[in-house]
């Protein structure tokens, strides 16, 4: 695998943003050291035609704003925290309220707004891009200085591996993920209704009108959330009248993954191109988000105007609002206890 870097832009404080290109025989990926953004993923279809299958912004300035958090690393807290607060050893921790009265994806000082140091490293005996950054204590209200490293590596069989590691000098909450939007027909190919999704998730966590999980864990069987019994096109139930879906204009829900340890948890297939993306992780949940906020008005990468449901996110994570829901898997880590999880996006082609 080859790794190269080109200057992508410069921040107002003089910080230099680079676009790193990771290239193997099967895959080419572009990653920014600002926000840990996956800017592009180029992979072939069943006829050998290569396309970029990740939605993105058109300019450096757009990535600084990054409406919709396209492609970025999210943390130190992915998802929503109700009331922008939680208790940690009987002490209340107050966070930035940036989503009504709640906290969403950490706040204005999250990893999506951070400039990482980039270097070529090794992960699992593979050449890797290692991005590192230290988030200062009190940023967005979270306790502890947090050292974050994210390694990106390509395998020769078409996988993008993302290894997350973080450690704090105080007890704190840590929940890191990636917010890439995938359209396996090509980022400029319209909606994802024809994509077929299989999720190894027999349960999901319903949410209230503010998209905060209620604390319930419900079976997906016989509901529009069932991608478990058999693979199903995303478009089949995306316009369901069920309140859980209609109030969000699509899917924006956490699914409870079966099993523990590093395992395959999802398969996404685009039948026309034959492209397949399998997702592997050792995290307990995945947020399925179907790009409900796109409106077909703004121009994005290559001048494309993304319509509603133009891409799908599969954000591996601890459950949203787990900080306030004791029976959810805990996102709390003691001082000097390392957060270390891996998520892999494996790309392949389904032959006719």
């Amino acid at each position: 695998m080859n790794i190269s870097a080109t200057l992508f832009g410069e921040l107002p404080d003089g910080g230099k943003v680079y676009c790193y290109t990771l290239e193997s025989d099967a895959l080419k990926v572009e990653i920014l050291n600002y926000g840990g953004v996956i800017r592009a993923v180029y992979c072939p279809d069943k006829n050998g035609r290569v396309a970029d299958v990740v939605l993105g912004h058109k300019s450096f300035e757009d990535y600084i704003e990054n409406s919709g958090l396209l492609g970025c690393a999210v943390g130190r807290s992915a998802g929503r925290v109700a009331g922008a607060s939680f208790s940690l050893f009987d002490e209340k921790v107050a966070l930035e309220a940036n989503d009504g009265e709640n906290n969403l994806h950490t706040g204005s000082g999250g990893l999506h707004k951070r400039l990482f140091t980039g270097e070529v490293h090794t992960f699992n005996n593979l050449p890797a891009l290692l991005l590192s950054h230290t988030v200062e204590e009190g940023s967005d209200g979270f306790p502890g200085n947090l050292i974050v490293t994210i390694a990106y590596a390509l395998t020769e069989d078409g996988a993008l591996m993302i290894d997350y590691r973080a450690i704090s000098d105080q007890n704190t909450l840590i929940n890191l993920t990636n917010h890439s939007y995938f359209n396996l027909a090509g980022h400029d190919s319209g909606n994802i209704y024809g994509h077929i999704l299989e999720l190894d998730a027999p349960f999901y966590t319903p949410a209230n009108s503010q998209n905060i999980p209620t604390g319930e864990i419900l079976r997906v069987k016989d509901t529009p959330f069932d991608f478990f019994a058999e693979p199903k096109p995303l478009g089949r139930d995306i316009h369901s009248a069920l309140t859980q879906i209609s109030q969000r204009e699509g899917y924006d829900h956490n699914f409870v993954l079966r099993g523990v340890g590093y395992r395959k948890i999802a398969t996404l297939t685009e039948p026309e191109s034959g492209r397949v993306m399998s997702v592997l992780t050792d995290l307990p949940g995945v947020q399925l988000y179907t790009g409900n906020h796109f409106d077909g008005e703004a121009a994005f990468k290559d001048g494309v105007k993304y319509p509603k449901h133009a891409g799908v996110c599969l954000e591996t994570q601890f459950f949203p609002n787990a900080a306030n829901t004791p029976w959810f898997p805990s996102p709390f880590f003691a001082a000097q206890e390392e957060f270390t999880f891996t998520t892999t996006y494996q790309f392949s082609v389904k032959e006719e």
Side-chain angles (χ1 to χ4, degrees):
M1 185 186 78
N2 296 318
I3 301 177
S4 59
T6 57
L7 185 65
F8 188 70
E10 187 170 314
L11 298 172
D13 64 2
K16 288 182 169 49
V17 177
Y18 290 93
C19 180
Y20 291 85
T21 299
L22 288 64
E23 192 164 7
S24 69
D25 290 341
L27 210 60
K28 184 171 82 168
V29 177
E30 295 178 359
I31 297 169
L32 305 182
N33 65 320
Y34 182 80
V37 167
I38 298 175
R39 183 170 178 259
V41 173
Y42 295 93
C43 59
D45 68 5
K46 61 187 178 184
N47 297 311
R49 290 189 293 261
V50 173
D52 179 3
V53 299
V54 168
L55 277 59
H57 289 292
K58 64 180 178 180
S59 70
F60 168 71
E61 290 74 20
D62 291 328
Y63 275 109
I64 303 306
E65 177 62 29
N66 205 352
S67 172
L69 305 187
L70 272 65
C72 66
V74 178
R76 73 176 79 183
S77 175
R80 288 175 170 85
V81 178
S85 66
F86 58 86
S87 293
L88 187 63
F89 293 103
D90 297 323
E91 290 190 12
K92 183 175 180 179
V93 176
L95 308 176
E96 177 185 338
N98 66 333
D99 183 52
E101 63 186 24
N102 307 306
N103 178 272
L104 173 62
H105 294 325
T106 305
S108 58
L111 294 179
H112 62 289
K113 293 289 187 180
R114 299 287 179 145
L115 182 65
F116 289 77
T117 298
E119 60 179 315
V120 178
H121 211 265
T122 301
F123 170 69
N124 278 5
N125 296 318
L126 296 169
L129 170 65
L130 184 68
L131 299 184
S132 58
H133 184 79
T134 299
V135 180
E136 65 277 7
E137 178 184 356
S139 176
D140 300 304
F142 290 90
N145 296 293
L146 186 73
I147 301 172
V148 177
T149 58
I150 308 175
Y152 304 80
L154 302 185
T155 66
E156 288 302 325
D157 63 349
L160 168 61
M161 303 183 71
I162 308 175
D163 180 71
Y164 302 92
R165 296 176 189 247
I167 193 166
S168 174
D169 57 4
Q170 296 183 35
N171 302 328
T172 194
L173 186 160
I174 312 175
N175 189 13
L176 311 184
T177 192
N178 178 269
H179 209 285
S180 289
Y181 296 72
F182 296 97
N183 187 321
L184 298 183
H187 83 95
D188 54 354
S189 298
N191 64 55
I192 41 78
Y193 296 159
H195 284 57
I196 297 171
L197 177 64
E198 182 177 14
L199 274 181
D200 196 10
F203 302 92
Y204 78 105
T205 55
N208 63 21
S209 60
Q210 298 180 42
N211 213 8
I212 301 291
T214 63
E216 299 171 281
I217 298 176
L218 300 183
R219 290 187 181 276
V220 301
K221 185 178 181 181
D222 298 325
T223 77
F225 298 97
D226 192 355
F227 297 92
F228 175 70
E230 61 181 7
K232 181 178 70 174
L234 284 168
R236 179 177 296 175
D237 295 314
I238 203 169
H239 298 294
S240 169
L242 186 72
T243 301
Q244 279 291 313
I245 293 178
S246 62
Q247 71 183 358
R248 296 168 184 83
E249 301 183 60
Y251 293 100
D252 191 3
H253 296 82
N254 171 69
F255 286 75
V256 180
L257 299 173
R258 190 170 62 159
V260 295
Y262 185 70
R263 72 276 191 212
K264 185 168 76 171
I265 59 96
T267 302
L268 184 69
T269 304
E270 202 289 302
E272 292 299 315
S273 67
R275 293 189 183 94
V276 179
M277 183 180 78
S278 299
V279 183
L280 300 91
T281 193
D282 44 5
L283 283 157
V286 63
Q287 187 82 7
L288 171 64
Y289 179 55
T290 48
N292 309 332
H293 70 283
F294 293 117
D295 59 11
E297 296 296 325
F300 287 84
K301 187 163 55 178
D302 300 329
V304 176
K305 295 182 178 181
Y306 294 144
K308 184 180 290 295
H309 308 140
V312 56
C313 302
L314 291 163
E315 306 160 50
T316 56
Q317 58 173 9
F318 287 100
F319 304 171
N321 201 37
N324 293 305
T325 314
W327 53 93
F328 284 178
S330 176
F332 293 126
F333 288 77
Q336 305 305 325
E337 180 185 5
E338 189 177 39
F339 174 104
T340 173
F341 294 94
T342 299
T343 293
T344 296
Y345 299 103
Q346 172 78 57
F347 296 89
S348 59
V349 173
K350 183 177 183 180
E351 301 292 346
E352 291 184 333

